[in-house]
Amino acid sequence: MIQPDSSCAVTVNGISVRVPPGASVAAALVAAGTLCTRRSVTGQMRFAFCGIGQCQECRVSIDGQPHRLACRTSCKEGMHIVTGGEG
Amino acid sequence: MKLHIIGSGPAGLAAAEAGLAAGAQVCLIDDNPAPGGQIWRGGPGAWTDPRARALWEQVKDHPRLTQLQTAQVVGAVAPGSLLLENETGGTLVQFERLIVCSGAREVVLPFPGWTLPGVTGAGGLQALIKGGMAVRGRQVVVAGSGPLLLATAATALAAGARIEAIVEHQGLSRLSRFGFGLALRHPGKLRQAVSLFAALRGIPYLAAGQIVEARGPDALQRVVVRTPRAVREFACDFLAAGFGLSPNTDLGQLLGCAIAGGAIEADQRQRTSVQHVWAAGECTGIGGVDKALIEGRIAALDALGLAPTARELSVRRQCHDFSALLARSFALRPSLKDMCRPETIVCRCEDVTASALGPHGGWREAKLATRVGMGACQGKTCSAACSFLFDWTGPGARMPIMPASAGALSQIE
Ligand SMILES: Cc1cc2nc3c(=O)[nH]c(=O)nc-3n(C[C@H](O)[C@@H](O)[C@H](O)COP(=O)(O)OP(=O)(O)OC[C@H]3O[C@@H](n4cnc5c(N)ncnc54)[C@H](O)[C@@H]3O)c2cc1C
Ligand code: FES
């Protein structure tokens, strides 16, 4: 599904990045240099951990929808991703 | 005849192929955006394994196939009925015959700094890379225990990462007994291991090594490991730490299937203890892709009233021998408990430390007092760690097995 020749543009906290189509939102975060998906209940930075939709550490907001899993959501052209929004 | 299959990894795809070939209607359900499960992640375009391609060719445009991706089974509502959640909400799905191919999840054990961004599971890093996460030029340390460490290192290396070290907790004597076991009974697997090692030539491989801590401050920068001879420190951007796999039995439990030794119990024909429910692949015991493929096939045949051949049954036996060898060779050593210090967070969702958990007598009591396991992952990450660290019996699966929207749950009548 990932075609190396084309790419898809998304924004991460307002910064625009391009990733291969089919790439996960987690991949877009790393491409944007954002290694923080959420803050833990005691305020620590967290990032994707299990990669397969189990740990829930990679919850971010996608197009205004909170609690979406960055590891299991594919990027789509024009997607707006916002991280770090929860306690 | 209609088959519902949960999971489109190797087991689910093999079941779908066998089912379609035998004339059944097949509904294949998976929560990932693309088929392939864990080993064949990234979708058909990214596959290099000819077995994956061959199966997919037989299955993909079949007129009797219904394929539901990005659809998660979150509950078993009544006998013969599953609750599914997808992007648009919830649906109830009725099944006559169900094959559960729900795979495994990684066993992760806590150590200081394991919550820092950049620390992932071993299979976790691999999954993220297969999902397009760039690691080119990044420094990676792979640590923990089990064959997945080598596979992870190879994936990261192929993606352009610099592997600083592979740290395996088992000592050389156990590892060489595993090697002999492969040589004696599983020459194909031995060849695989040898070619993995060849690909990873020149990378420091530390046997009998253990993680001491991962260091930040806010994101991972270094990891400290200990071997019998020295304490060493490696600078790194990613630490892939995994301690093996455990069967994902959530759905099996919810359906009422008997669980034995942490896996869904299945007989020679992959029948579970519940009528009309079969199970195949890692959810019935960890054994890798070959086991998943043969079990998926046998499950579908049996579900359609067909018998597997003697050869198929013998392949299954061989795969189960390999499973047993894996389990013996990479059983977690109690010394891994030392990684977790009193101030180490064990429950990542609620930030509960080991010292807060220690005084409690069991999972339930600790849960009420500390909120361990009550966060978003519902204990999927920490309950295995707590069983290992404190000898607690973990929680049973409950509905919904994954966080689900109220909209989806409102479908339950
Ligand atoms: C993170 C990780 C990475 C791995 N990487 C490798 C590797 O690179 N090489 C290797 O040899 N082995 C790897 N493995 C081992 C792996 O388990 C394989 O041997 C193989 O993929 C097993 O096939 P399977 O069909 O049993 O399960 P899987 O491939 O795990 O497939 C199970 C599928 O079911 C889906 N599923 C589970 N529950 C539900 C539900 N409730 N609703 C909807 N869908 C559901 C899952 O999302 C998944 O797609 C990995 C394991 C893990 C956990
Ligand atoms: S990384 Fe664990 S759920 Fe996404």
Side-chain angles (χ1 to χ4, degrees), chain B residues 110-114 339-347 352-355 357:
Chain B
F111 51 85
W114 76 307
M339 285 193 310
C340 183
R341 297 210 289 258
E343 66 282 7
T344 305
I345 286 176
V346 175
C347 167
V352 188
T353 61
S355 61
L357 292 170

Side-chain angles (χ1 to χ4, degrees), chain A residues 50-74:
Chain A
C50 73
I52 65 166
Q54 306 282 340
C55 75
Q56 310 283 315
E57 288 282 27
C58 67
R59 302 196 297 278
V60 294
S61 157
I62 301 177
D63 292 337
Q65 253 191 31
H67 310 299
R68 299 289 309 280
L69 296 185
C71 71
R72 227 173 46 192
T73 309
S74 305

Side-chain angles (χ1 to χ4, degrees), chain B residues 314-357:
Chain B
S314 131
V315 172
R316 182 182 181 278
R317 265 195 305 279
Q318 171 92 354
C319 290
H320 280 236
D321 281 354
F322 175 66
S323 275
L325 176 66
L326 263 185
R328 272 199 309 281
S329 307
F330 292 98
L332 293 180
R333 289 173 176 258
S335 51
L336 282 171
K337 292 184 187 180
D338 305 343
M339 285 193 310
C340 183
R341 297 210 289 258
E343 66 282 7
T344 305
I345 286 176
V346 175
C347 167
R348 302 170 65 105
C349 292
E350 298 288 334
D351 288 358
V352 188
T353 61
S355 61
L357 292 170

Side-chain angles (χ1 to χ4, degrees), chain B residues 12-323:
Chain B
L13 288 176
E17 192 268 339
L20 290 168
Q25 294 275 345
V26 170
C27 178
L28 184 60
I29 301 170
D30 194 295
D31 50 16
N32 279 304
Q38 303 312 346
I39 182 167
W40 298 330
R41 186 172 273 278
W47 293 344
T48 49
D49 189 333
R51 291 174 298 181
R53 292 177 168 284
L55 281 175
W56 191 236
E57 274 310 307
Q58 297 301 315
V59 170
K60 65 174 180 189
D61 297 319
H62 203 290
R64 276 183 275 105
L65 174 76
T66 314
Q67 196 195 348
L68 303 175
Q69 294 291 157
T70 328
Q72 181 161 44
V73 180
V74 293
V77 184
S81 178
L82 296 173
L83 176 63
L84 223 73
E85 187 185 36
N86 61 17
E87 277 162 340
T88 54
T91 334
L92 288 178
V93 170
Q94 313 298 329
F95 67 86
E96 291 162 32
R97 281 145 209 257
L98 180 71
I99 308 180
V100 178
C101 305
S102 54
R105 55 174 70 112
E106 206 159 8
V107 177
V108 288
L109 300 176
F111 51 85
W114 76 307
T115 51
L116 289 168
V119 180
T120 66
L125 183 70
Q126 204 182 30
L128 289 164
I129 294 173
K130 289 181 187 175
M133 189 178 88
V135 290
R136 184 161 298 282
R138 300 299 189 95
Q139 289 167 292
V140 173
V141 171
V142 181
S145 191
L148 200 52
L149 300 188
L150 296 182
T152 298
T155 302
L157 189 71
R162 282 158 44 197
I163 315 288
E164 300 299 317
I166 301 168
V167 184
E168 164 61 61
H169 187 249
Q170 300 295 348
L172 278 177
S173 64
R174 263 282 185 115
L175 293 171
S176 50
R177 254 178 291 152
F178 178 62
F180 281 131
L182 290 185
L184 272 173
R185 306 284 303 273
H186 311 280
K189 301 263 183 219
L190 182 68
R191 277 196 297 280
Q192 255 173 32
V194 168
S195 74
L196 269 177
F197 267 113
L200 299 167
R201 206 177 37 223
I203 293 168
Y205 182 88
L206 312 181
Q210 180 160 319
I211 300 170
V212 177
E213 68 178 328
R215 291 196 182 145
D218 287 334
L220 175 70
Q221 290 180 349
R222 321 184 67 73
V223 55
V224 182
V225 302
R226 192 176 58 221
T227 67
R229 279 191 264 143
V231 173
R232 299 186 53 181
E233 212 172 305
F234 298 94
C236 57
D237 304 297
F238 290 100
L239 165 62
F243 297 86
L245 300 174
S246 82
N248 175 1
T249 60
D250 292 351
L251 190 53
Q253 285 185 52
L254 224 53
L255 289 160
C257 301
I259 306 292
I264 303 176
E265 202 170 40
D267 69 7
Q268 273 223 354
R269 307 288 163 97
Q270 304 309 131
R271 292 178 195 164
T272 70
S273 64
V274 175
Q275 212 188 3
H276 301 317
V277 178
W278 288 256
E282 303 281 60
C283 64
T284 73
I286 303 307
V289 58
D290 297 335
K291 172 175 172 292
L293 287 170
I294 191 68
E295 288 192 353
R297 179 171 174 79
I298 292 175
L301 292 176
D302 194 67
L304 298 171
L306 302 169
T309 63
R311 187 179 140 65
E312 283 164 345
L313 287 173
S314 131
V315 172
R316 182 182 181 278
R317 265 195 305 279
Q318 171 92 354
C319 290
H320 280 236
D321 281 354
F322 175 66
S323 275

Side-chain angles (χ1 to χ4, degrees), chain A residues 24 35 40 42 46 49 53-54 57, chain B residues 105 117 121 124 131 348 351 402:
Chain A
S24 69
L35 228 60
S40 80
T42 60
R46 294 287 168 80
F49 178 72
Q54 306 282 340
E57 288 282 27
Chain B
R105 55 174 70 112
R348 302 170 65 105
D351 288 358
M402 294 303 261

